[in-house]
Amino acid sequence: TNTVKWGVTSSIFNNISNSVQDAYHYVKQLDSSLNDIRIVTDKSAESMAKFAVQANDAAKNLGASTRDYTDASLIYYQQGLGEADVSARTETTLKAANVTGQNTAEVSEQLTAVWNGYKVSAEEAELYVDKLAAVAATTASDLEELSTGMSKVASAANLMGVDVDSLNAQLATIVSVTRQAPESVGTALKTIYARMGDIEAGIDTETTLGSYTK
């Protein structure tokens, strides 16, 4: 009986101890994330305190942790974006991360490439992710694959006059049919667009655009 009691007590103590350690490490990491934002933005201590409260409230509403919110915000602050842009893109990033199961750092990098490639405003940020999610829901590709592939080719596609809807359809079709890695599909499309651009500009004189398209 004493052995059982000791085992139960020991287990409870270990669980409490581990929880305290986890909480301690989380707070340290959150503090580090907030400090990085303060360094990048040169916010005052008072402004950072308000931001921390805002981040906590927004994260709760999105079913994420405060640190997820601050980590995503840091990436957008590092890009020199203003408060409205940072807030809009961070919230969209957390929503996308909830769908894909990725961490916010990965998702923010992918979405940044898409948004920058198509010069998306803060007001349109969520619309572009909605477009990816809608196609992902009706094809054999998923949101993570589409955002990953698009991050490789968005800028080149935009330069060639390929809008986000057409690119979205191309990526979804190729990924669904070939089941190739989205990074490879995006890079392949980028190469195709670059080659077509060379032909159109007269840099590649050995191949016609018609034969290449065929």
Side-chain angles (χ1 to χ4, degrees):
T1 301
N2 287 337
T3 300
V4 172
K5 288 180 179 178
W6 179 86
V8 171
T9 304
S10 177
S11 176
I12 293 173
F13 178 79
N14 286 335
N15 287 335
I16 293 173
S17 177
N18 290 337
S19 296
V20 170
Q21 288 181 8
D22 290 343
Y24 171 75
H25 290 303
Y26 176 82
V27 170
K28 279 194 69 177
Q29 291 168 337
L30 176 59
D31 185 60
S32 175
S33 182
L34 288 168
N35 188 55
D36 289 340
I37 290 174
R38 185 178 182 184
I39 291 171
V40 170
T41 61
D42 200 27
K43 287 178 178 286
S44 65
E46 183 180 355
S47 295
M48 282 308 302
K50 291 180 180 178
F51 174 78
V53 173
Q54 172 204 330
N56 186 53
D57 291 341
K60 282 181 180 178
N61 291 333
L62 294 168
S65 72
T66 307
R67 188 182 157 213
D68 286 335
Y69 189 97
T70 58
D71 283 350
S73 295
L74 174 61
I75 292 172
Y76 297 126
Y77 276 123
Q78 287 172 332
Q79 295 172 18
L81 299 175
E83 296 287 342
D85 267 323
V86 170
S87 179
R89 297 188 184 211
T90 298
E91 291 190 13
T92 302
T93 297
L94 292 185
K95 291 176 185 177
N98 285 340
V99 174
T100 64
Q102 298 168 275
N103 64 53
T104 52
E106 290 175 321
V107 175
S108 58
E109 292 292 344
Q110 293 164 0
L111 296 185
T112 291
V114 176
W115 289 328
N116 288 351
Y118 281 99
K119 299 177 175 60
V120 178
S121 65
E123 293 77 17
E124 297 178 309
E126 188 165 352
L127 172 63
Y128 273 64
V129 178
D130 286 344
K131 289 173 179 286
L132 298 183
V135 172
T138 55
T139 65
S141 58
D142 59 37
L143 180 57
E144 179 181 352
E145 290 174 328
L146 293 178
S147 60
T148 300
M150 197 169 284
S151 69
K152 302 294 182 183
V153 65
S155 182
N158 191 33
L159 285 174
M160 282 296 294
V162 180
D163 64 29
V164 68
D165 295 323
S166 297
L167 179 59
N168 200 6
Q170 291 171 22
L171 284 167
T173 302
I174 297 171
V175 169
S176 297
V177 173
T178 66
R179 299 312 303 162
Q180 292 292 316
E183 298 91 337
S184 300
V185 175
T187 301
L189 282 175
K190 181 179 179 181
T191 302
I192 290 171
Y193 291 144
R195 182 71 185 277
M196 290 174 72
D198 288 347
I199 296 169
E200 196 171 43
I203 298 173
D204 182 350
T205 57
E206 298 179 2
T207 313
T208 65
L209 192 58
S211 64
Y212 188 67
T213 303
K214 182 180 178 181

